């Protein structure tokens, strides 16, 4: 089953995406309807609350009559939707979370837009949604960021958090694959939150994703489903849970909206992505940087027993979460069954990798992988 789902995602990457790799990056043809008055001047970009302040505009494109229309940029505003809108009933809805940064010379870059396109396409395939052409996605992101780049906070670590969203917009009550969709890109300014170390509970009764399910897709239904177990963990005094495999609850998977990494005897170790773990782009970026820097890396299954033993004997010196929103967050307290463990280390590996990644994104270190795409 594991093999099948890996193959499933690889198949999409090869057949649907690679032939589009040479797509042109022209964004001057996207129609822009400017907002009457910008809210930028009245917005305090030094400490925006994450996810609360939209920028002035949004991108919108419709899928109708069997094809994706070009789309346009319009003032940010409410949508008018029928109560029959399919996505609201059956969660045929997928999204991405990505960022744009300022580089030293007053320019802006979008971090790994093609990787986000590939993952969005994989999520859409899993949810039976019509994949959009790569140039539609990439051009829209670049044109949108070009228009909104003044919203990128200038404080260190400041970024524009971009939220592409695609949902079934057809109005019809009746379980079916929709014939109409809306693709939106919205954004909000983000600054680094003080990464307070997390206390997490290794969850061994509830599950986030089962083999054959939708765990590897960034689809709406995966998130509503985990509120309940996460709230239970909060009542027990934890901030988050670390999920374990649904079948045996004996191997760790990921945490909240973050992948999980640990450092054991100096080796950066993380579970391999599979049908039940989201393929984090931050995860991939950090592993790539670690390999480049000569940090030993292992992608392999990690059992709950191994985690427990390593925390007991001190061979595990760091545990942390990785994701676009926070980049990295240290985990310093872990509850496993009824035992509590804590980590007092200085998280040197995590800090070193995080620093390198942010320097690449801000143009201070060479971008050897071609991850940054400059905006006009
Ligand atoms: C988005 C997400 C991640 C992190 O992915 P990034 O591409 O690094 O942001 C990890 N797990 C889940 C469940 C997610 O939704």
């Amino acid at each position: 089953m594991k093999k099948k789902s890996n193959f499933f995602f690889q198949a999409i990457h090869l057949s649907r995406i690679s032939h589009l790799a040479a797509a042109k990056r022209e964004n001057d043809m996207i129609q822009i309807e400017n907002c009457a008055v910008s809210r930028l001047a009245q917005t305090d970009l030094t400490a925006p609350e994450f996810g609360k302040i939209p920028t002035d505009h949004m991108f919108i494109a419709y899928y109708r009559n069997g094809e994706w229309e070009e789309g346009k940029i319009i003032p940010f505003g409410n949508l008018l939707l029928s109560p029959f809108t399919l996505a609201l009933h059956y969660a045929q809805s997928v999204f991405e979370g990505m960022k744009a940064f300022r580089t030293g010379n007053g320019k802006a870059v979008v971090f790994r837009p093609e990787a986000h396109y590939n993952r969005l396409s994989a999520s859409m395939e899993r949810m039976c949604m019509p994949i959009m052409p790569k140039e539609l996605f990439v051009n829209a992101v670049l044109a949108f960021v070009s228009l909104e780049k003044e919203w990128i906070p200038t404080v260190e670590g400041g970024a524009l958090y971009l939220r592409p969203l695609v949902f079934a917009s057809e109005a019809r009550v009746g379980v079916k694959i929709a014939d109409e969709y809306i693709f939106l890109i919205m954004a909000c300014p983000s600054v680094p939150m003080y990464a307070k170390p997390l206390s997490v509970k290794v969850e061994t009764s509830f599950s986030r994703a089962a083999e054959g399910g939708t765990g590897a897709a960034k689809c709406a239904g995966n998130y509503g489903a985990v509120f309940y177990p996460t709230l239970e963990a909060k009542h027990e005094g934890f901030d988050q849970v670390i999920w374990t495999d649904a079948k045996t609850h004996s191997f760790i998977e990921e945490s909240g909206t973050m992948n999980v990494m640990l450092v054991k005897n100096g080796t950066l170790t993380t579970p391999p992505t599979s049908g039940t773990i989201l393929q984090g782009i931050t995860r991939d970026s950090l592993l790539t940087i670690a390999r480049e820097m000569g940090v030993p890396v292992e992608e392999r299954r990690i059992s709950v027993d191994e985690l427990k033993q390593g925390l007991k004997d001190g061979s595990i010196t760091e545990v942390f979460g990785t994701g676009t929103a926070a980049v990295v967050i240290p985990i310093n307290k872990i509850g496993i069954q009824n035992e509590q463990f804590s980590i007092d280390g200085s998280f040197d590996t995590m800090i070193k990798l995080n620093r390198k990644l942010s320097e690449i994104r801000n143009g201070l270190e060479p971008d050897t992988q071609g991850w940054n795409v400059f905006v006009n």
Side-chain angles (χ1 to χ4, degrees):
M1 209 54 212
K2 183 167 158 248
K3 250 209 182 93
K4 198 169 158 196
S5 47
N6 279 337
F7 172 73
F8 167 72
F9 278 90
Q10 273 163 18
I12 294 163
H13 285 275
L14 297 178
S15 68
R16 303 266 180 143
I17 292 159
S18 59
H19 73 280
L20 293 164
K24 282 194 296 178
R25 286 213 190 95
E26 272 175 29
N27 51 37
D28 40 8
M29 73 245 211
I30 290 178
Q31 196 188 321
I32 297 173
E33 201 181 295
N34 277 297
C35 64
V37 185
S38 170
R39 282 177 283 101
L40 183 57
Q42 301 115 257
T43 309
D44 177 8
L45 288 185
T46 59
E49 210 179 317
F50 182 79
K52 278 215 167 167
I53 306 166
T55 63
D56 287 326
H57 301 91
M58 62 187 185
F59 174 85
I60 187 163
Y62 294 88
Y63 178 89
R64 296 188 271 232
N65 304 318
E67 64 178 10
W68 279 104
E69 295 174 0
E70 254 167 37
K72 58 184 178 179
I73 293 172
I74 59 174
F76 183 90
N78 293 341
L79 300 174
L80 192 61
L81 294 173
S82 164
F84 277 23
T85 299
L86 280 172
L88 301 175
H89 299 259
Y90 312 117
Q92 205 189 1
S93 175
V94 301
F95 64 97
E96 273 301 317
M98 52 199 290
K99 278 182 172 173
F101 298 87
R102 283 177 192 271
T103 55
N105 46 15
K107 292 190 168 164
V109 292
V110 177
F111 188 66
R112 305 192 68 177
E114 295 192 8
H116 286 281
Y117 169 77
N118 290 347
R119 188 172 65 190
L120 181 71
S121 299
S123 299
M124 290 177 75
E125 175 89 359
R126 180 63 180 82
M127 299 307 290
C128 287
M129 299 162 83
I131 292 173
M132 67 187 74
K134 182 182 192 163
E135 61 266 39
L136 170 61
F137 180 85
V138 174
N139 289 349
V141 167
L142 296 179
F144 179 69
V145 172
S146 172
L147 187 66
E148 304 292 68
K149 60 178 182 285
E150 294 310 318
W151 284 86
I152 305 175
T154 50
V155 300
E156 202 184 324
L160 196 58
Y161 180 81
L162 303 166
R163 167 54 60 87
L165 171 74
V166 192
F167 66 92
S169 54
E170 183 186 343
R172 180 163 162 178
V173 174
V175 182
K176 75 178 282 269
I177 298 170
D179 289 325
E180 290 172 11
Y181 297 86
I182 292 178
F183 166 38
L184 294 166
I185 304 173
M186 58 204 100
C188 56
S190 92
V191 294
M193 309 165 245
Y194 164 64
K196 188 179 87 66
L198 297 181
S199 153
V200 301
K201 169 191 177 186
V202 174
E203 178 59 63
T204 50
S205 21
F206 290 106
S207 301
R208 186 190 88 94
E211 284 192 18
T214 58
K218 221 168 165 75
C219 59
N222 286 350
Y223 301 84
V226 302
F227 290 159
Y228 186 87
T230 308
L231 191 62
E232 290 248 300
K234 284 189 177 150
H235 290 325
E236 294 167 34
F238 299 97
D239 301 308
Q240 254 306 341
V241 301
I242 289 185
W243 300 104
T244 52
D245 70 288
K247 207 182 272 175
T248 66
H249 291 298
S250 55
F251 292 93
I252 66 167
E253 299 221 306
E254 60 175 321
S255 176
T257 55
M258 296 186 297
N259 293 108
V260 172
M261 295 189 180
L262 52 85
V263 176
K264 184 181 179 187
N265 296 321
T267 298
L268 184 66
T269 312
T270 191
T273 54
S274 66
T276 59
I277 298 179
L278 195 96
Q279 301 191 11
I281 290 163
T282 314
R283 173 190 179 281
D284 180 72
S285 305
L286 292 172
L287 294 180
T288 304
I289 289 171
R291 290 185 175 111
E292 278 188 350
M293 292 173 94
V295 176
V297 172
E298 281 181 12
E299 291 179 71
R300 60 172 177 80
R301 300 193 91 186
I302 301 163
S303 71
V304 175
D305 284 343
E306 179 184 357
L307 177 65
K308 194 180 195 167
Q309 194 54 44
L311 291 168
K312 242 181 219 165
D313 66 22
S315 58
I316 292 177
T317 49
E318 302 178 34
V319 180
F320 55 95
T322 75
T324 295
V327 191
V328 293
I329 301 190
I331 293 171
N332 71 350
K333 293 200 174 59
I334 302 183
I336 303 177
Q337 283 103 28
N338 293 318
E339 289 181 81
Q340 304 290 331
F341 299 90
S342 56
I343 298 177
D344 300 321
S346 47
F347 290 85
D348 294 339
T349 310
M350 183 196 83
I351 290 167
K352 184 168 81 174
L353 296 173
N354 184 32
R355 187 183 305 129
K356 180 85 170 194
L357 178 59
S358 74
E359 285 173 351
I360 293 171
R361 299 201 282 204
N362 290 293
L364 302 170
E365 278 284 317
D367 175 21
T368 56
Q369 304 287 334
W371 286 338
N372 292 334
V373 177
F374 280 86
V375 164
N376 288 334

